[in-house]
Amino acid sequence: MSEKFSATLRIGDLNDYIAPSQGCVVSLKANSKSTSSSRIPKFNSEELEKFGGAVKKPAEAVEPVKISLKDCLACSGCITSAETVMLEKQSLDEFLSNLDKGKAVIVSVSPQCRASLAVHFGLSPLQVFKKLTTLFKSMGVKAIFDTSCSRDLTLIESCNEFITRYRHCHSTSNEKSKLSLPMISSACPGWICYAEKSLGSYILPYISSVKSPQQIIGSVIKRHICHSLYLRPEDIYHVTVMPCYDKKLEAVRDDFVFEVEPQGHKITEVDSVLTTGELLDLIQSKSIDFKSLDESPLDKLLTNIDEGGQLYGVTGSSGGYAETIFCYAAKVLFGKEITGPVEFKTIRNSDFKELTLEVEGKPVLKFALCYGFRNLQNVVRKIKAGKCEYQFLEIMACPSGCLNGGGQIKAKRGESAKDLIQSLESKYMENVLVANPFENPIIKALYAEWLDQPGSEKSKRLMHTEYHPVVKSMTSELQNW
Ligand code: SF4
């Protein structure tokens, strides 16, 4: 896909949106001792024979097998956890080494990461965000943004997609229209990876085509905002800080690479993903007293911060997809305005909840939150059998959702996992205003100046994606046999 760059953002004076650096408080350099292969033992041929390995003579040597993130099954067993060190382009070292390569480094921080650090340090999410801004700017990062902002764009596109699918499903009776519903959320790469590699073609048409907040902010930065910063997309190194390792898998998908004309540079929407735990490693390894760092002004260009200096966003610690789309559909399809928090009904366990809208005593909308592999496998079985009663499913691979992602900071000694989740859930929206994504002035400006409207041809081209069933090779089938 190629894209010409000519648009500029007219949101106002840039100085208001990119806060200046607060001066250098810490000095950080790439760790010269790379860890990228230190945990992988290397054996010579004699040692291999001792272990019973078949040693080939050089003349018979074949190309070594290379493993990349694209081979990952998101099983959390190898690459996504212990062998993360192998992922050269996705490590802390790689991030640090890019700080002085002449590119403008931009960091986008997720709200789940802020909540995790806030619980760990006993701060509010806003304090964490301001201290992270100080920290990153002292390292030479040009701007620090907020994925709650891009999540609002994801939610608006998802609302629009749901209405289109619902109307399509109810306007025709042909077999294809049945594939419109249920619509399944697409923001969890653990779920997407499982669907593509283990479920394949029957489930993929149900998955929303809207990109995740991580990829949307990457797309916005590299395709549009860069011009407001007087940068070319190839001059930006964009890093996200996320609650899970699976976001690294998402960032390296071919679907999220585009070409710029006329040079034909290949641009990656997100160049590197750090987990919250890796960010804490950075803080600790450099002996930074995080709690004592100054609190810098936030970069407003792509950050949900209002005039009074408060963060805002949707509730729902995994993105609020079910709730936001439910309220929108109730209004657009049935004229029902839902004010105040919606009531979820717990079904089997706390990771499976329902939302129902009744009109004249009859259920007209039925949505579900479905977290963790056990629950998602149950619901997927129902879809396959044509017995799914829901029109929308917010599916997340992790039990308890994104706040409990594998990349978050672990429970302290003596603290139970349940207690940690409760602390994270109450911290997540601490002093964060609940706001309707459709009212977000930054997103309104992006539509007005660039994307036209939700679901427009441009939105579909730049903010949506595709999924691909993975055909299993004979070798992998034999290995599983
Ligand atoms: S549910 Fe887990 S795997 Fe999925 S996006 Fe959230 S943290 Fe990542």
Side-chain angles (χ1 to χ4, degrees):
M1 196 191 306
S2 68
E3 170 72 358
K4 279 189 181 146
F5 294 92
S6 56
T8 51
L9 190 79
R10 295 187 298 275
I11 297 179
D13 184 353
L14 262 184
N15 291 333
D16 289 345
Y17 294 96
I18 302 290
S21 163
Q22 296 295 291
C24 187
V25 292
V26 284
S27 166
L28 295 167
K29 283 224 155 63
N31 192 346
S32 56
K33 201 176 91 205
S34 170
T35 56
S36 61
S37 60
S38 57
R39 290 164 62 183
I40 306 163
K42 290 198 173 80
F43 301 111
N44 61 31
S45 45
E46 272 175 22
E47 287 167 327
L48 269 176
E49 275 177 325
K50 199 162 64 190
F51 292 121
V55 182
K56 287 195 170 145
K57 294 191 177 77
E60 297 166 7
V62 290
E63 272 289 292
V65 176
K66 285 183 185 157
I67 301 171
S68 77
L69 269 178
K70 291 182 187 112
D71 301 304
C72 178
L73 284 166
C75 64
S76 297
C78 60
I79 291 174
T80 54
S81 51
E83 299 310 324
T84 307
V85 287
M86 289 169 64
L87 308 171
E88 289 176 358
K89 288 191 94 181
Q90 296 290 335
S91 69
L92 199 50
D93 280 356
E94 175 72 7
F95 161 64
L96 293 173
S97 72
N98 269 279
L99 290 172
D100 52 10
K101 281 192 180 157
K103 287 197 174 190
V105 179
I106 294 178
V107 177
S108 300
V109 184
S110 66
Q112 292 85 4
C113 159
R114 299 195 295 260
S116 186
L117 287 167
V119 167
H120 183 82
F121 287 109
L123 299 165
S124 71
L126 180 60
Q127 285 175 307
V128 165
F129 204 1
K130 289 179 166 182
K131 287 175 189 291
L132 283 178
T133 301
T134 304
L135 173 66
F136 283 130
K137 291 217 168 168
S138 74
M139 296 161 69
V141 171
K142 186 173 179 71
I144 295 92
F145 294 138
D146 169 20
T147 63
S148 308
C149 180
S150 56
R151 184 178 61 193
D152 283 347
L153 211 161
T154 299
L155 287 166
I156 292 171
E157 287 294 320
S158 301
C159 286
N160 184 73
E161 183 184 352
F162 179 80
I163 300 299
T164 307
R165 280 175 178 255
Y166 183 94
R167 288 187 171 140
H168 185 239
C169 189
H170 287 81
S171 65
T172 72
S173 57
N174 71 29
E175 281 301 303
K176 245 187 153 184
S177 72
K178 287 187 191 152
L179 297 177
S180 306
L181 294 179
M183 176 169 135
I184 308 176
S185 61
S186 57
C188 172
W191 151 244
I192 296 296
C193 193
Y194 174 70
E196 287 183 329
K197 292 184 175 172
S198 298
L199 304 175
S201 50
Y202 85 88
I203 201 79
L204 300 185
Y206 297 107
I207 301 178
S208 165
S209 61
V210 182
K211 288 181 186 177
S212 72
Q214 168 173 281
Q215 295 311 133
I216 292 239
I217 203 161
S219 193
V220 171
I221 288 170
K222 296 267 183 117
R223 295 173 188 268
H224 185 60
I225 291 293
C226 54
H227 307 295
S228 306
L229 303 174
Y230 306 104
L231 292 167
R232 297 175 304 170
E234 58 268 38
D235 297 332
I236 294 176
Y237 183 76
H238 178 219
V239 183
T240 58
V241 190
M242 288 286 149
C244 68
Y245 290 93
D246 290 352
K247 284 285 171 189
K248 296 175 191 250
L249 295 174
E250 181 176 77
V252 298
R253 286 172 72 94
D254 292 338
D255 305 271
F256 302 137
V257 177
F258 61 98
E259 277 183 20
V260 281
E261 294 171 351
Q263 308 95 326
H265 286 299
K266 286 210 182 306
I267 307 295
T268 315
E269 290 174 350
V270 177
D271 295 289
S272 186
V273 179
L274 298 178
T275 64
T276 314
E278 286 170 322
L279 182 51
L280 182 66
D281 285 348
L282 172 72
I283 292 167
Q284 291 176 339
S285 68
K286 303 293 173 186
S287 305
I288 295 163
D289 182 358
F290 188 74
K291 277 185 95 164
S292 303
L293 287 180
D294 290 341
E295 293 179 12
S296 296
L298 301 182
D299 293 326
K300 296 179 184 171
L301 190 58
L302 288 176
T303 294
N304 282 2
I305 180 108
D306 70 3
E307 290 305 317
Q310 268 194 286
L311 292 172
Y312 62 86
V314 294
T315 54
S317 54
S318 297
Y321 295 89
E323 185 171 342
T324 307
I325 298 170
F326 184 82
C327 293
Y328 185 76
K331 189 172 156 196
V332 171
L333 298 172
F334 301 100
K336 301 279 175 197
E337 191 87 48
I338 297 174
T339 50
V342 294
E343 293 267 329
F344 281 97
K345 185 171 151 203
T346 300
I347 303 300
R348 281 189 207 97
N349 49 62
S350 60
D351 275 340
F352 201 118
K353 294 178 187 167
E354 266 182 18
L355 272 176
T356 308
L357 178 74
E358 292 194 351
V359 173
E360 293 169 4
K362 286 190 188 143
V364 289
L365 282 181
K366 214 164 180 192
F367 284 23
L369 281 185
C370 176
Y371 295 172
F373 267 92
R374 193 164 48 110
N375 286 327
L376 80 83
Q377 279 169 328
N378 280 336
V379 86
V380 153
R381 234 173 272 136
K382 285 193 173 174
I383 295 172
K384 193 170 189 181
K387 291 183 178 162
C388 179
E389 57 196 311
Y390 304 110
Q391 289 120 346
F392 180 80
L393 290 160
E394 180 180 311
I395 287 186
M396 298 286 159
C398 294
S400 304
C402 293
L403 278 177
N404 189 34
Q408 294 281 73
I409 299 168
K410 306 292 174 238
K412 289 179 180 155
R413 192 178 292 225
E415 184 183 29
S416 71
K418 198 175 162 204
D419 287 347
L420 176 61
I421 285 293
Q422 276 175 357
S423 307
L424 287 165
E425 277 169 357
S426 56
K427 189 63 87 174
Y428 187 71
M429 291 302 283
E430 187 180 291
N431 295 329
V432 179
L433 295 170
V434 179
N436 180 350
F438 287 85
E439 300 301 322
N440 186 327
I442 301 169
I443 306 304
K444 279 185 182 175
L446 286 173
Y447 276 115
E449 298 167 8
W450 183 45
L451 294 171
D452 302 334
Q453 58 184 7
S456 68
E457 181 279 322
K458 206 167 186 181
S459 285
K460 283 204 177 114
R461 188 159 47 86
L462 305 177
M463 300 294 131
H464 290 239
T465 185
E466 292 176 348
Y467 310 102
H468 319 280
V470 175
V471 181
K472 287 184 182 154
S473 69
M474 182 62 83
T475 322
S476 67
E477 289 292 306
L478 285 172
Q479 278 165 355
N480 291 333
W481 188 68

